[in-house]
Amino acid sequence: MQTGARAFGVTPARRWTWLTLGVWAALPVLSLLPLWSNLLNPVLPDVHDYFRYAVLSSHFQEAMAAGIWYPRWLPEFNAGYGYPEFVFYQPGYFFLNSLLAVLTDDLLWRQLLTLGTLCLIGGLGAYRLARTFVDRLPALALVVLFQAAPYVHFNLYVRGDLSEWMVIQLLPWVLHWSWCLLAPVQRATMDMRRRALCWSGLTLVLAASFYSHPIAVLFLPLVVALLGLLTLAGTEHQAPLAVRLRSVFELGGALLLALALASPYWFTVAQLKPLVNAQIASTGAWETWRNVSSLSDLLFDDQAFLAAPFVALALLGAWQGRGHPLIRAAGLVYLVLFLAMLPTGGWFWHLYPFSLMQFPWRLAVFAPALQVVCTLGFWQGSNRHPVLRWLGLTLGLLALTWSAWKYHDFRALDVLGEPVAGAQLDCIKIYPSLARPYTNLATLDAREWLPARFAKNPLERARHTPVSPTCEAQLARHRAALTGNLGVDLFSNRSTLDWMTSDSPHWRGRPQPGHSPHALNYRFAGTNPGVVVIQQIYLPGWSVQVDGLALAATTIEEQLLPDGRMQVRLAAGEHTITAHYDGPPGSTQRNVAIGLALLLAAAYWLRRLR
């Protein structure tokens, strides 16, 4: 073979160059494996979450364009009375989506660009993780194995939970940089500057994961801590106790700093959750312990969360590579998570806060990345028994065949006989009932984030915003069908939103320059004392000013209407009223704590670098 290569003028150096180019050309193609069916058919897929992410990303980006760096309040939601979606809902995916808005305004293509970016991040992370142990071609094969994992497809084309899917794509980097800190050989040979970079990378990817989904906040610290402790316990003959303790300290520091950086999200949820209708999403059929999976659900069903060939590949690989501390640890963590999804883990799901999980099978988000590490065991074991590499190859091909057989279909979301794309998405953004009948007071979820006062006394009259001519035409074309489905004519009783109103005939108000749904600014004039109603429901964090003077939170709360809308009492004369959602209380103290945590981390690594 070498003689033939020389005959064609292919020297070893040139073979290496062409191999490198081929690998880097193949890597993005293989990384995009889960997305190819959607790229070839650019319409919205028919998933459980319907159009949720496309619509939310549009509202999120509009708020960012209005100068709000962390949007939390969606003023046009909840029939125009406002909804604290991103006070509680994870923002990670939407930050990335908003950054890509500079490339296109089309909501569908922006979603595909976001997913494509995440695919590339995940594929590159899986490749980098595998390259620590194996050569280029096996590493490419493991990228395919990672992106072909059942839960990657299930989340993308069945559930449509793109925030969970983002966590899946970030996890290979978590494992890669964790091993960078834990590896005993690397500790002896790595310069301190590179070690600081590994620690920084781990901290940032952990923080990004925490912003991406609550499952990361609840379980990723446990997974990383368990993985780290098991790995270090297996290096007792390779590294002194003091070195291992320092690794524990640095790993714990990365976790704590990442949690601090993500506290504007998770701490706010914990702080304000008692004030909203959250219990409806965690009681009854939503109770986590009721939703443990059977063995068939996890291994053999058409939409198995883990799938038998992948589980066999992971557990056998971990067993064959048990001599390697990271592979052994990954196998044990994988087994613990697997048992927790079954009825054997039912007791665990009664514990708070894990009881808020809703579905234990969501732990499958950790499976694709852990499977990559476990499968590396076949290469480690092949040093003792070469046949093990062939066993791993056979099981890998079986797993990929299962994936190709079970997950080859792509279903487009069909609304009134048309696949959802382009202008239709813009129309659905304003009228969610177009795609989900009987959704009049639209919140795109179970309304669990409604403030308790509004949930008890909801307003029946929906307020609508103007629509584009394209949307008008679409609504007119399907007017009869929509009226029949909904029992209400969407063309009736429509008007431009008045964000502030007064029932008194003596008061007149008009928007001022700079007014927007995200920064309300009105000027009112009246000859007698009167009351102005701000047509938004209240949650702590609203800032209301009258003639430049801020109203105290206690004053706003005392004057709330029974349904939770804010109102302002005014003396006779002219007054300017401004209102915007300023973010949850306590943000200054939290930012100070984050700053102190960053200073401590910087001081530690500067001392180590010196």
Side-chain angles (χ1 to χ4, degrees):
M1 186 178 292
Q2 291 179 353
T3 305
R6 290 192 187 97
F8 284 97
V10 181
T11 64
R14 194 170 299 173
R15 286 202 305 273
W16 183 89
T17 301
W18 283 110
L19 177 61
T20 303
L21 291 174
V23 165
W24 286 105
L27 183 56
V29 175
L30 298 178
S31 298
L32 289 169
L33 179 67
L35 205 59
W36 278 116
S37 56
N38 203 174
L39 290 172
L40 295 174
N41 185 14
V43 295
L44 210 63
D46 186 7
V47 294
H48 295 171
D49 272 350
Y50 293 89
F51 47 82
R52 177 187 186 86
Y53 277 84
V55 169
L56 285 180
S57 62
S58 178
H59 286 279
F60 194 90
Q61 192 274 330
E62 285 174 1
M64 291 197 76
I68 303 171
W69 74 272
Y70 184 170
R72 295 181 186 269
W73 190 270
L74 299 185
E76 295 174 334
F77 263 45
N78 189 32
Y81 296 106
Y83 193 65
E85 184 74 38
F86 291 103
V87 173
F88 301 97
Y89 202 67
Q90 57 272 1
Y93 170 90
F94 303 95
F95 277 122
L96 178 59
N97 185 282
S98 294
L99 291 175
L100 295 173
V102 298
L103 301 178
T104 178
D105 290 329
D106 188 284
L107 294 179
L108 174 63
W109 278 105
R110 216 163 79 205
Q111 178 165 306
L112 291 175
L113 278 172
T114 306
L115 296 176
T117 302
L118 290 172
C119 273
L120 295 175
I121 291 172
L124 182 58
Y127 179 79
R128 191 66 192 91
L129 175 63
R131 279 290 289 125
T132 307
F133 302 91
V134 297
D135 206 352
R136 295 178 182 84
L137 294 181
L140 280 179
L142 288 171
V143 171
V144 176
L145 183 72
F146 171 75
Q147 296 291 26
Y151 205 64
V152 173
H153 172 93
F154 184 79
N155 241 329
L156 194 56
Y157 294 128
V158 179
R159 293 193 65 222
D161 192 337
L162 304 184
S163 293
E164 260 188 35
W165 197 79
M166 182 173 180
V167 176
I168 294 175
Q169 300 296 326
L170 292 175
L171 280 172
W173 288 105
V174 173
L175 298 185
H176 167 64
W177 275 316
S178 294
W179 176 241
C180 182
L181 290 178
L182 299 171
V185 175
Q186 292 189 49
R187 281 206 67 99
T189 59
M190 187 191 307
D191 65 83
M192 194 53 61
R193 182 171 298 177
R194 185 177 164 218
R195 186 166 182 79
L197 289 174
C198 285
W199 185 88
S200 301
L202 177 60
T203 302
L204 292 176
V205 77
L206 282 171
S209 300
F210 294 152
Y211 273 109
S212 298
H213 201 274
I215 190 176
V217 181
L218 286 174
F219 288 96
L220 192 51
L222 297 178
V223 168
V224 171
L226 182 59
L227 190 73
L229 293 174
L230 290 172
T231 301
L232 290 171
T235 62
E236 57 182 332
H237 301 299
Q238 300 170 274
L241 178 61
V243 171
R244 287 183 287 141
L245 288 177
R246 187 179 291 278
S247 292
V248 170
F249 176 77
E250 290 173 356
L251 192 66
L255 280 169
L256 290 175
L257 182 56
L259 283 169
L261 292 173
S263 61
Y265 162 56
W266 66 262
F267 184 79
T268 297
V269 174
Q271 177 188 18
L272 297 183
K273 189 177 177 183
L275 304 180
V276 296
N277 203 27
Q279 70 279 358
I280 65 173
S282 57
T283 55
W286 303 104
E287 288 180 290
T288 310
W289 62 272
R290 296 180 185 272
N291 294 304
V292 291
S293 302
S294 67
L295 202 60
S296 176
D297 290 336
L298 293 183
L299 300 181
F300 303 112
D301 284 357
D302 287 341
Q303 295 294 347
F305 303 116
L306 296 178
F310 288 88
V311 173
L313 184 69
L315 293 180
L316 286 173
W319 175 256
Q320 298 302 334
R322 62 190 182 277
H324 192 282
L326 179 64
I327 297 173
R328 180 172 62 247
L332 288 171
V333 172
Y334 186 92
L335 182 60
V336 168
L337 296 176
F338 176 73
L339 294 175
M341 296 182 229
L342 294 169
T344 52
W347 62 271
F348 177 77
W349 301 109
H350 285 85
L351 304 176
Y352 186 86
F354 310 114
S355 57
L356 304 174
M357 182 81 163
Q358 293 183 329
F359 305 109
W361 42 258
R362 281 178 162 175
L363 291 178
V365 298
F366 299 102
L370 288 172
Q371 282 166 184
V372 170
V373 179
C374 293
T375 306
L376 290 167
F378 288 105
W379 276 268
Q380 295 293 319
S382 66
N383 296 329
R384 303 188 309 272
H385 305 289
V387 72
L388 292 177
R389 187 171 297 183
W390 291 104
L391 174 61
L393 179 62
T394 302
L395 287 173
L397 289 174
L398 179 61
L400 294 177
T401 302
W402 173 289
S403 185
W405 173 43
K406 294 286 188 181
Y407 310 129
H408 63 277
D409 59 325
F410 173 85
R411 300 183 309 277
L413 180 61
D414 186 281
V415 175
L416 299 174
E418 300 176 5
V420 177
Q424 192 177 25
L425 249 181
D426 292 323
C427 198
I428 288 174
K429 172 190 167 186
I430 301 169
Y431 287 96
S433 300
L434 184 66
R436 294 192 69 178
Y438 315 112
T439 308
N440 290 322
L441 295 179
T443 59
L444 298 186
D445 53 28
R447 301 169 69 183
E448 60 263 36
W449 309 131
L450 281 179
R453 184 189 292 250
F454 187 89
K456 292 177 182 177
N457 302 282
L459 289 159
E460 295 298 330
R461 180 174 176 270
R463 303 161 64 238
H464 299 294
T465 55
V467 297
S468 66
T470 306
C471 185
E472 290 277 9
Q474 185 178 1
L475 289 172
R477 191 165 63 251
H478 299 296
R479 183 175 183 180
L482 288 170
T483 303
N485 286 342
L486 301 174
V488 61
D489 187 350
L490 290 178
F491 280 78
S492 64
N493 194 27
R494 291 168 53 210
S495 60
T496 304
L497 289 176
D498 287 321
W499 298 96
M500 295 187 193
T501 61
S502 176
D503 292 335
S504 172
H506 303 289
W507 284 86
R508 293 289 181 270
R510 60 185 183 279
Q512 296 299 292
H515 164 82
S516 77
H518 302 281
L520 309 183
N521 187 351
Y522 269 69
R523 188 163 187 82
F524 278 86
T527 56
N528 297 311
V531 176
V532 168
V533 177
I534 301 172
Q535 298 290 348
Q536 295 283 283
I537 53 178
Y538 175 77
L539 191 73
W542 269 96
S543 173
V544 179
Q545 295 185 336
V546 178
D547 299 328
L549 298 177
L551 296 184
T554 53
T555 302
I556 299 173
E557 292 169 2
E558 288 171 357
Q559 297 178 3
L560 290 177
L561 290 170
D563 55 37
R565 286 178 296 165
M566 295 173 283
Q567 60 179 353
V568 179
R569 295 188 176 93
L570 299 175
E574 289 194 359
H575 303 278
T576 299
I577 305 175
T578 61
H580 67 280
Y581 192 75
D582 200 28
S587 58
T588 302
Q589 296 90 324
R590 187 171 58 249
N591 291 339
V592 169
I594 292 173
L596 290 175
L598 287 170
L599 287 175
L600 285 173
Y604 172 82
W605 285 107
L606 285 173
R607 183 174 180 275
R608 294 281 287 155
L609 287 169
R610 289 173 181 170

